[in-house]
C-alpha cells in the first residue's frame, strides 16, 4: 500500500503474532485482517441521529437541536450512510439545549445515542462543555460566583455520566471571543470577562480532568488568527494541560485551499500538540459573501445545492482531506453536517442532499477514506510461527481466524501479540513495546 | 477649576504647608504656584531633536532615524515648539539604528539628547528594547541561543546606561505579530517563534527590571484586537510583572472616534493596569485607504497637508485627547511626530508643517493642555500657618516664594509639606501620607 509521498507517514507496519484461545501461536493459519478504526479519526456530527437512536417517530420541536435536525423519515438511511464513511461522531451538549430547565438534563437521551454509535463501532466526542452561545438561559439571572459553581458542577456531572462512552470533549469552545462576545447577554461571557480567559479555560480543563482522568480534552476555536495563538501560548504558560488543539474550519465563504490550510497547520502545530480539525464544512451551492464577519449574520430564505456546487464540493473535500492527512499533527478530521436537511444556517453544507440522496462529495470522501486509505478486508496466512506483518493505514484492525477474532493496533509498536477468542472481539489487545 | 464632568477625576486637591529654608512655616507669604509636570503625561517623539542636542549641523544620512528626521535648519524652532506642549519625549533605541555595527552603540549621542530634554523639564521614555523591525541586521547570522544572549545583554546594557535619565521603557514592541512576521527575515522573529511569545516577553521584562528596578516597563502593541487581550492575559497569568499596557493608535486610515476609543480603553483597562497611548497619529491630509492592512505598504510620492485636513486634524486631536483623558486608566498620551518633515511614511501626521510653521492642531493641543487643563502660574498667599490649598490638574507643581522655591506633587496626598530653598528646585518633596 502506498498512498503517495505526502501520506506515507500514515502507513505503519506491525508484525503480529496470532495466538489461539489457548495461547499458542496459530502457525500457517488463514487470517482475515480488516480495518475497524483508524488512528486518523474521520468524524461527523451525530446530532441528527438522536431521534433514531431513541426510537422517536415524531420530533418535538422544542427538543430539536438548533441544527442537525433532519426529518425523522430519513434517519434510518442517514444512519446507514453515516457509518459508511465516519468512524467518529460528535454529540451535542450545548447547555441551553441539554438542560433548558435547570436540574433536568437530557442525559438519558444522549446516553442512548452514544450507545447507538458505540454499538456500530463509532467513537464519540462531546461538544462543548463551556461555550457562551446556546448556553443555559437561566445563568443570566445568577451572580457570577454562582455561574462558576454551576458551570463546574455541570462539567463534572456530564463528563462523569458519560465516562467510558464519551472520552473526548471540547472542554471549552471559542474562548478567544468569549469575554467580548456582545450579541447576546449571557452568563458565560460575563464569567469569562470577570475571571479572564485563562482562568475560564483552566476551570473547564480542571473539572473535566477530575471527572474523567482518561479523557482527551480539547481547546477549540474558530479564530485562526494570532489571537488564538496568543491564547494557546497563555494557557500553556499557565500550566493548563491541553491534550489537543481544535481548529474549526467552516468554509461557507470558500475553500481555504492547500496553501492556507498548510500555513494554518504549521502555525498551530508549533505547540507540539495534536490537532483535531473539529468542524469542517464546504458548500455545494453559492458561497457566503466575504464581507460577512459572523457567519450567523447571513440569513437567506433558500440556499440550494447546485450541480456545479456539488462538483466543486466533491473536488474540494478530497483536496482538503488529503492536505490535512498529509500533516503529521492532524489526528482527527470532523465534518460538520451529514445532510442539508436542517443544516446550520440552511447552507448546503451536508454530504447528503435534503432529499436524502448522497452528493458527489459523499461518494468522493467514502472512496478516499475507505478505498484509498483503509486496508480492505484481506485474507492471508500466518507463517509457521503464527506471524504476519501488516503494513497499512495506522489504526485498529480486526484479525479473524477459524478459532475466533481479536482487535489489534497497527502502528504503535513494531510487534504485537493478538490473542483471538471466540465471540465478539474486545478492544485492541496484545500491544507490546516496539 | 472645572474641566467638565468627564475630567473631574484629573483634578485633585492637596493642602500645602510651605516652609522656609529654616524649616518654619511661611505664614502670610506671597506664593506663586505653577504646573511643571502633569500626572497625565503629554508626550511626543524626540527623534528629530537628536542632532540639535548634539550640536550637529550636517546630518549624516547613515545616522538619521528611519523617520523623525527633520532638516537641521528647523531644529532650533522645533525644539522651542516641542516644550510649549509636551512634557515627555520618546527616544529611539531601534537596535538596527542604535547599534548597526555590533559593539558600537550610539550611547553617547542618545545620552546627550536625554540630557537636553531633562534640562528642559521633559521626562523621557525609551523605545523599544525588543522588536523584530529595524532590529540589528547582524542577528540574522547568529544561532538562536546567541540571539537570545545578545538581546539580553543589550537590554541590560542600555537600560543600565540610561538609568536615572530614562526610567520608562517599551520593554517589548508588537509581540502579537512578532513570531509570525514574515516581511523580512530577522533574528527576533526567529527567537520569538522558537521560544514563544510569553518567554520572549518575560525575557524583556526580566532583563530590564534587573538593570533598573525602578523602571516603568511597558508591553506595547498596535494590535487592538482580541489577540492583544489574549497575549496580555497569558503574560499576566505567567507571572510577568507588566507595569503599563501600551496601546498604539496610528490613525492613518481615519480617526477612531469617541465610541471606538472608549470601547478599546474599556477592554484593555480590564486588567487593572495603567494605559499609555504610546503612538498617536492623526493626519492633516488624505487618509490612507481602509484596505491597506500593514500601514508600511502604503507608499506615495507626495502626501500633502491640506487646509481641510488641518482643520479636521485640529478638531480630532482635541476630541481624541479629551476622550483619553476622561478614562481613568490613561496615564500618558504620546503623539507620534512633531513635524511632517521626515515623518513616518511621508504622511502629514505632524503638528508642524514641513516648512516649520505650526498647524492648527498644534495650537489646539497647546490650548487644550496648557490653557484648559494646566493651572497657569498663579500668585496667592499662604494663611497664618503657612498653608495653601491647591485644587488643580494632578501633577508636579513649583512653589516659588521670596525665600526660594520647591517642587511638590498635587494629587497623591491630602497634605504635603514644601520646604523651599534658594536656587534651582529639586524633584518634588514633602509628600506625606494623605
Amino acid at each position: 500500500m502506498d498512498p503517495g509521498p505526502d501520506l506515507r507517514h500514515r502507513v505503519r507496519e506491525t508484525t503480529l503474532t496470532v495466538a489461539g484461545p489457548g495461547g499458542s501461536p496459530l502457525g500457517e493459519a488463514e487470517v482475515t485482517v480488516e480495518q475497524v478504526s483508524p488512528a486518523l479519526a474521520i468524524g461527523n456530527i451525530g446530532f441528527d441521529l438522536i431521534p433514531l437512536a431513541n426510537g422517536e417517530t415524531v420530533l418535538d420541536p422544542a427538543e430539536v437541536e438548533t441544527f442537525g435536525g433532519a426529518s425523522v423519515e430519513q434517519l434510518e438511511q442517514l444512519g446507514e450512510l453515516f457509518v459508511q464513511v465516519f468512524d467518529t461522531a460528535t454529540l451535542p451538549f450545548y447547555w441551553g439545549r441539554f438542560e433548558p430547565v435547570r436540574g433536568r438534563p437530557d442525559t438519558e437521551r444522549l446516553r442512548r445515542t452514544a450507545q447507538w454509535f458505540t454499538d456500530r463501532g463509532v467513537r464519540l466526542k462531546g461538544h462543548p462543555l463551556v461555550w457562551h452561545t446556546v448556553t443555559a438561559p437561566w445563568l443570566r439571572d445568577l451572580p457570577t460566583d454562582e455561574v462558576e459553581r454551576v458551570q463546574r458542577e455541570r462539567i463534572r456531572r456530564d463528563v462523569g455520566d458519560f465516562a467510558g462512552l464519551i472520552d473526548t470533549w471540547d472542554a471549552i469552545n471559542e474562548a478567544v471571543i468569549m469575554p467580548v462576545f456582545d450579541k447576546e447577554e449571557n452568563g458565560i461571557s460575563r464569567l469569562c470577562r470577570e475571571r479572564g480567559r485563562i482562568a475560564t479555560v483552566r476551570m473547564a480543563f480542571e473539572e473535566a480532568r477530575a471527572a474523567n482522568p482518561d479523557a482527551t480534552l480539547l481547546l477549540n476555536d474558530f479564530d485562526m488568527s494570532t489571537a488564538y495563538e496568543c491564547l494557546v501560548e497563555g494557557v500553556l504558560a499557565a500550566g493548563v494541560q491541553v491534550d489537543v488543539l481544535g481548529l474549526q474550519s467552516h468554509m461557507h465563504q470558500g475553500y481555504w485551499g492547500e496553501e492556507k490550510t498548510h500555513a494554518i497547520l504549521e502555525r498551530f502545530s508549533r505547540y507540539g500538540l495534536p490537532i483535531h480539525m473539529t468542524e469542517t464544512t464546504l458548500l455545494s451551492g453559492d458561497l457566503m459573501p466575504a464581507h460577512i464577519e459572523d457567519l450567523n449574520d447571513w440569513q437567506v430564505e433558500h440556499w440550494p445545492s447546485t450541480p456545479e456546487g456539488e462538483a466543486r464540493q466533491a473536488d474540494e473535500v478530497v483536496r482538503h482531506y488529503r492536505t490535512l492527512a498529509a500533516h503529521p499533527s492532524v489526528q482527527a478530521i470532523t465534518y460538520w453536517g451529514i445532510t442539508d436537511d436542517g443544516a446550520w444556517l440552511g447552507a448546503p453544507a451536508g454530504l447528503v442532499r435534503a432529499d436524502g440522496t448522497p452528493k458527489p462529495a459523499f461518494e468522493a470522501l467514502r472512496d478516499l477514506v475507505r478505498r484509498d486509505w483503509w486496508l480492505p478486508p484481506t485474507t492471508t496466512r500466518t507463517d509457521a510461527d503464527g506471524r504476519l506483518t501488516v503494513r497499512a493505514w495506522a489504526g485498529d484492525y480486526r484479525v479473524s481466524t477459524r478459532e475466533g477474532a481479536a482487535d489489534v493496533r497497527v502502528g504503535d509498536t513494531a510487534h504485537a501479540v493478538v490473542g483471538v477468542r471466540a465471540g465478539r472481539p474486545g478492544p485492541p489487545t496484545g500491544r507490546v513495546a516496539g
Side-chain angles (χ1 to χ4, degrees), chain A:
Chain A
M1 160 176 207
D2 185 356
D6 289 352
L7 295 177
R8 273 186 203 142
H9 64 282
R10 297 282 174 193
V11 176
R12 304 287 178 80
E13 189 174 289
T14 293
T15 296
L16 311 178
T17 297
V18 183
S24 340
L26 295 174
E28 304 289 354
E30 191 178 280
V31 171
T32 299
V33 177
E34 175 185 10
Q35 183 138 22
V36 290
S37 189
L40 175 65
I42 302 294
N44 205 328
I45 52 171
F47 304 179
D48 309 77
L49 300 177
I50 297 173
L52 178 69
N54 283 274
E56 296 163 12
T57 51
V58 180
L59 289 188
D60 175 353
E63 299 285 326
V64 174
E65 304 304 320
T66 39
F67 53 93
S71 316
V72 176
E73 300 73 36
Q74 295 180 8
L75 294 190
E76 196 96 28
Q77 195 205 339
L78 266 187
E80 283 169 25
L81 290 171
F82 192 103
V83 297
Q84 285 178 27
V85 178
F86 302 104
D87 52 74
T88 305
T90 296
L91 292 185
F93 284 81
Y94 303 104
W95 201 357
R97 297 276 168 183
F98 185 75
E99 192 179 3
V101 178
R102 189 172 177 180
R104 290 180 48 197
D106 203 13
T107 310
E108 284 316 309
R109 212 157 143 266
L110 267 291
R111 199 199 302 276
R112 279 188 293 266
T113 308
Q115 193 59 56
W116 186 93
F117 279 107
T118 301
D119 291 344
R120 283 153 186 80
V122 175
R123 295 167 292 187
L124 292 162
K125 192 184 119 180
H127 167 85
L129 293 169
V130 182
W131 193 31
H132 51 277
T133 305
V134 202
T135 192
W138 43 268
L139 295 175
R140 271 200 304 267
D141 305 323
L142 303 180
T144 307
D145 282 351
E146 181 73 357
V147 170
E148 180 180 342
R149 195 177 65 75
V150 295
Q151 171 70 79
R152 286 181 179 273
E153 286 175 358
R154 175 288 224 265
I155 298 172
R156 277 200 298 274
R157 178 193 65 195
D158 296 338
V159 173
D161 281 350
F162 285 84
L165 266 177
I166 302 179
D167 294 324
T168 302
W169 290 93
D170 286 326
I172 186 164
N173 196 36
E174 305 181 357
V176 169
I177 205 178
M178 189 174 278
V180 293
F181 176 82
D182 59 5
K183 297 226 163 185
E184 190 187 32
E185 197 203 327
N186 71 87
I188 300 302
S189 285
R190 169 158 50 91
L191 176 69
C192 191
R193 199 160 45 239
E194 294 183 20
R195 299 288 192 266
R197 289 177 177 89
I198 294 176
T200 309
V201 169
R202 188 193 297 283
M203 170 196 73
F205 279 81
E206 277 179 1
E207 294 296 345
R209 187 82 62 205
N212 181 357
D214 296 330
T216 298
L217 303 177
L218 286 84
L219 183 67
N220 192 47
D221 217 295
F222 71 89
D223 191 320
M224 296 296 103
S225 79
T226 52
Y228 191 29
E229 292 180 40
C230 291
L231 178 70
V232 170
E233 294 181 28
V235 164
L236 295 180
V240 178
Q241 189 202 327
V242 175
D243 298 317
V244 171
L245 289 185
L247 310 184
Q248 299 181 20
S249 51
H250 292 291
M251 295 178 275
H252 291 69
Q253 293 169 316
Y255 173 44
W256 284 355
E258 285 84 351
E259 196 180 346
K260 174 177 171 181
T261 303
H262 182 73
I264 288 175
L265 292 173
E266 281 295 289
R267 285 201 290 119
F268 288 100
S269 63
R270 304 208 309 276
Y271 307 110
L273 292 171
I275 289 173
H276 286 190
M277 301 302 295
T278 51
E279 308 184 16
T280 308
T281 41
L282 285 160
L283 301 195
S284 69
D286 288 348
L287 299 178
M288 188 188 291
H291 71 267
I292 302 293
E293 286 193 18
D294 183 335
L295 302 188
N296 290 294
D297 290 343
W298 186 247
Q299 303 284 345
V300 283
E301 279 276 316
H302 184 53
W303 198 344
S305 185
T306 65
E308 313 78 57
E310 292 185 358
R312 188 191 63 220
Q313 184 196 36
D315 174 62
E316 291 171 349
V317 157
V318 170
R319 288 165 57 197
H320 194 54
Y321 275 60
R322 277 201 181 126
T323 307
L324 298 176
H327 200 287
S329 293
V330 175
Q331 291 193 349
I333 311 171
T334 294
Y335 198 84
W336 201 256
I338 181 78
T339 172
D340 287 355
D341 189 16
W344 183 42
L345 306 171
L351 301 172
V352 173
R353 299 187 190 97
D355 68 6
T357 55
K359 295 183 192 175
F362 179 87
E363 322 272 2
L365 188 58
R366 184 179 55 192
D367 286 349
L368 178 71
V369 173
R370 296 291 171 111
R371 189 193 62 190
D372 298 352
W373 290 353
W374 284 33
L375 181 76
T378 300
T379 300
T380 181
R381 293 184 75 79
T382 58
D383 68 9
D385 299 322
R387 280 181 314 209
L388 169 72
T389 295
V390 179
R391 180 177 154 73
W393 197 250
D396 292 344
Y397 284 77
R398 180 152 309 153
V399 175
S400 308
T401 69
R402 252 173 271 175
E403 319 281 327
D407 286 354
V408 66
R409 174 77 43 95
V410 167
D412 282 3
T413 59
H415 300 91
V417 175
V418 203
V420 302
R421 52 194 171 101
R424 187 192 170 82
T429 59
R431 288 178 230 172
V432 297

